[in-house]
Amino acid sequence: MATRVIPVDPFDLVVFGGTGDLARRKILPALYRRFCAGQIPKEANIIGAARSDFDEAGYRAFVRDAITELVPAILCTGDAIAAFCNRVHFIQLDAREDDGWETLAQIINPDRIRAFYFSVRPELFADLAERLYRHGMASGETRIVVEKPFGHDLASACELNATLAHHFDETQIYRIDHYLGKETVQNLMAIRFANMLFEPLWNSQYVDHIQITVAETVGIAGRAEYYDRAGAMRDMMQNHMMQLLCLIAMEPPAKFEPGAVRDEKLKVIRALDDVAPEDIVRGQYDASSDKLGYLHDVGNANSTTESFIALKTGISNWRWAGTPFYLRTGKRLKARTSEIAVVFKDAPHSIFGADAGRHANILTIVLQPNEGIELGVTIKEPGPGGMRLIDVPLDMSFAETLGPEAELVPDAYERLIMDVIRGNQTLFMRGDEVEAAWRWTDPIIAQWQEKGEKPLRYESGSPGPEDALGLMYRDGRHWREIRE
Ligand code: NAD
């Protein structure tokens, strides 16, 4: 099942922060893979821009090393890497100084699509926007790509939106959430809106509840300073999990195009219920035999920041009133997995009697580690032992379906960067969406801050604090097991 590749128009892409971790691990390998796939034309230029003291040859060596380390060997021929590196340039500049900007303006082709990827810390976004404008690079076919975090709360997000709006039109701003670029996330829309099977059942009449889990095994080492200011609520819930919730809950847009899709997502966020204090469980991971605990990792014995959060919310609209949404995310959990489970109601009456058991269909959309979709259906247990029912999965793992080609399916960054060049904003967050998400998030955070509430401790390698299980047990439900 080969993927179809449509080349994009020639472009100049400047990666501010081109020597940073994100550029090295994600952006540059993604560009290389698209180059190998023939989607990036040979005339495109990729320009790393950063404070670091590189010359062009040094930066090309940096890019080559990143590719060799992070791209599957099957794609790493010497010729391909050399051809790609030929298109790579470097310019030394500081977002807060004027040196280097004139040179950048001169090497950017004003007649082409120009994209500027802000892969630097958010405090520099405004400086970059301002300098791009001052040096004549903000108009026409210019797009800016803004990394997360987009604001720390509603006020800072509004301020950032206003700052960017000063020099750029909303159609030029691409707020990236890489979860939206995942194959399965888009498939979620295909499943819902290209099949007759699910949509008639996609409402509170048939869906008992929905649970979304994003579990990580890693701690916060390496990002301690940022993370301790953010916590799981700001780092994951306000953006990634909110976006997943929107896609699962939104009404069918009239067309698969940016305005229509983003309008529907916004309506979901606006209809989200406030979260009561008893519907939130926050946790902090403890040390384990071989790893240090959260408080040590952040170097702050008094930190009250959560590395785990579970909460229950609802959506007050005709489709979803009465269906709870349970969301949880955390670090140092039992396994690395992200999934959305749509748990359907039991059949209204069992003709097989109590002994056969009651079973519910569950549609599970797995985002990582192995993207795929599974539908749990109930069948008769094979054999002559009477009518007993068991659940079996109808399983579609992308890796299995696509075979060796699975490695070549574009990852989230590849897809999203190509969308930027194509000018397609469907999978990027609009300013009002981000603000609405903070409007929901801020009061939740304020609740525990006002009370000075400490998160509960949980064992590293566990499913999170015990109380998180209670959040569902008390409703007669249970979380799905966290497993890879
Ligand atoms: P990093 O610290 O590894 O790299 C920062 C880059 O910015 C470096 O290239 C550095 O030279 C450059 N830089 C710093 N100050 C500068 C200045 N004054 N002028 C010009 N360049 C300057 O950071 P990172 O991990 O690559 O993260 C970059 C952005 O991406 C941040 O906003 C981060 O929140 C976001 N992000 C990162 C990840 C990740 O996995 N690393 C994931 C999601 C979002």
Side-chain angles (χ1 to χ4, degrees):
M1 202 189 291
T3 50
R4 202 155 47 98
V5 172
I6 302 169
V8 296
D9 291 335
F11 62 88
D12 290 343
L13 168 67
V14 179
V15 183
F16 292 115
T19 59
D21 176 65
L22 184 68
R24 196 186 76 80
R25 283 191 310 109
K26 296 291 182 188
I27 303 171
L28 294 165
L31 288 164
Y32 174 71
R33 286 173 58 120
R34 288 297 87 207
F35 184 80
C36 290
Q39 192 162 20
I40 294 185
K42 303 264 179 289
E43 314 85 307
N45 288 314
I46 291 148
I47 302 144
R51 277 196 308 194
S52 322
D53 189 15
F54 273 112
D55 59 13
E56 197 141 287
Y59 190 61
R60 285 181 178 178
F62 169 86
V63 173
R64 198 177 313 117
D65 289 349
I67 291 169
T68 321
E69 183 191 331
L70 296 155
V71 176
I74 184 180
L75 289 174
C76 290
T77 65
D79 284 355
I81 297 182
F84 179 73
C85 285
N86 233 353
R87 307 315 312 161
V88 171
H89 312 277
F90 184 75
I91 194 150
Q92 189 177 14
L93 52 70
D94 190 316
R96 292 187 163 150
E97 310 278 341
D98 278 322
D99 289 353
W101 284 88
E102 228 11 79
T103 319
L104 179 64
Q106 278 160 16
I107 61 173
I108 295 289
N109 185 338
D111 301 325
R112 280 184 173 190
I113 294 162
R114 295 169 294 182
F116 298 93
Y117 199 127
F118 292 10
S119 181
V120 294
R121 55 180 201 279
E123 299 86 281
L124 298 174
F125 291 170
D127 294 288
L128 291 176
E130 169 70 27
R131 284 201 157 69
L132 283 174
Y133 173 75
R134 251 201 274 150
H135 292 275
M137 291 178 272
S139 56
E141 285 285 5
T142 290
R143 286 129 211 204
I144 57 170
V145 184
V146 187
E147 262 298 335
K148 78 166 230 193
F150 199 92
H152 183 74
D153 52 19
L154 177 60
S156 56
C158 291
E159 194 184 321
L160 184 50
N161 272 336
T163 306
L164 298 180
H166 221 67
H167 303 307
F168 297 93
D169 188 74
E170 182 61 36
T171 56
Q172 296 178 285
I173 305 171
Y174 291 71
R175 294 174 196 78
I176 201 161
D177 181 334
H178 73 273
Y179 264 60
L180 289 182
K182 285 182 180 286
E183 188 72 15
T184 336
V185 171
Q186 290 169 75
N187 238 323
L188 179 55
M189 285 189 270
I191 289 170
R192 284 194 59 193
F193 304 132
N195 293 289
M196 192 55 205
L197 198 59
F198 297 112
E199 204 48 28
L201 306 180
W202 212 260
N203 56 53
S204 59
Q205 199 183 339
Y206 297 101
V207 175
D208 177 72
H209 73 276
I210 289 177
Q211 44 179 290
I212 305 179
T213 298
V214 176
E216 297 178 284
T217 49
V218 292
I220 48 102
R223 299 170 69 213
E225 196 194 324
Y226 154 74
Y227 195 91
D228 202 38
R229 273 184 287 123
M233 187 71 187
R234 289 189 171 95
D235 185 52
M236 293 296 286
M237 192 68 81
Q238 183 272 345
N239 39 65
H240 301 321
M241 309 223 18
M242 175 75 78
Q243 289 297 320
L244 299 181
L245 180 114
C246 284
L247 295 177
I248 204 95
M250 72 184 185
E251 294 300 315
K255 285 198 175 126
F256 186 59
E257 58 181 37
V261 172
R262 299 193 299 178
D263 283 350
E264 295 306 334
K265 280 161 56 194
L266 180 62
K267 284 185 210 161
V268 173
I269 305 175
R270 288 188 172 155
L272 273 179
D273 292 344
D274 297 341
V275 182
E278 62 273 19
D279 290 337
I280 304 174
V281 177
R282 295 165 67 235
Q284 227 175 39
Y285 61 82
D286 263 336
S288 58
S289 55
D290 57 340
K291 294 195 185 86
L292 297 164
Y294 181 86
L295 297 177
H296 186 280
D297 281 351
V298 291
N300 173 9
N302 298 317
S303 171
T304 57
T305 304
E306 75 286 350
S307 61
F308 173 97
I309 187 161
L311 59 82
K312 171 181 159 183
T313 185
I315 299 173
S316 286
N317 63 18
W318 270 57
R319 186 187 284 266
W320 291 119
T323 297
F325 286 72
Y326 299 91
L327 282 63
R328 71 178 158 168
T329 180
K331 302 224 171 257
R332 281 281 174 79
L333 296 180
K334 204 173 152 199
R336 174 174 171 260
T337 180
S338 300
E339 64 164 46
I340 304 168
V342 180
V343 181
F344 290 90
K345 290 187 173 170
D346 287 348
H349 164 68
S350 172
I351 62 168
F352 305 109
D355 287 352
R358 297 296 290 264
H359 298 260
N361 299 117
I362 302 178
L363 178 71
T364 313
I365 298 119
V366 184
L367 310 175
Q368 61 190 23
N370 304 311
E371 293 192 51
I373 290 154
E374 186 185 297
L375 177 64
V377 290
T378 303
I379 61 164
K380 177 189 168 297
E381 188 179 62
M387 196 65 179
R388 261 191 291 276
L389 303 178
I390 53 166
D391 291 334
V392 290
L394 289 179
D395 194 352
M396 196 201 79
S397 142
F398 287 165
E400 278 168 27
T401 310
L402 297 174
E405 298 254 355
E407 270 210 356
L408 305 179
V409 170
D411 83 356
Y413 279 91
E414 290 175 62
R415 174 172 295 113
L416 293 173
I417 296 171
M418 290 301 97
D419 277 356
V420 172
I421 305 301
R422 277 192 292 254
N424 185 346
Q425 291 185 303
T426 309
L427 299 175
F428 295 83
M429 293 176 293
R430 206 166 56 192
D432 51 3
E433 260 183 85
V434 177
E435 289 180 15
W438 279 119
R439 202 165 279 117
W440 178 78
T441 309
D442 274 6
I444 299 175
I445 295 175
Q447 282 175 20
W448 69 65
Q449 280 182 343
E450 269 163 31
K451 290 195 207 133
E453 225 170 67
K454 285 195 169 164
L456 305 166
R457 314 293 288 267
Y458 63 93
E459 221 176 291
S460 284
S462 73
E466 289 267 316
D467 288 34
L469 304 179
L471 191 68
M472 290 194 78
Y473 277 145
R474 63 168 201 217
D475 296 345
R477 302 184 174 101
H478 59 86
W479 291 106
R480 286 166 57 76
E481 194 191 337
I482 294 180
R483 64 184 159 91
E484 276 191 14

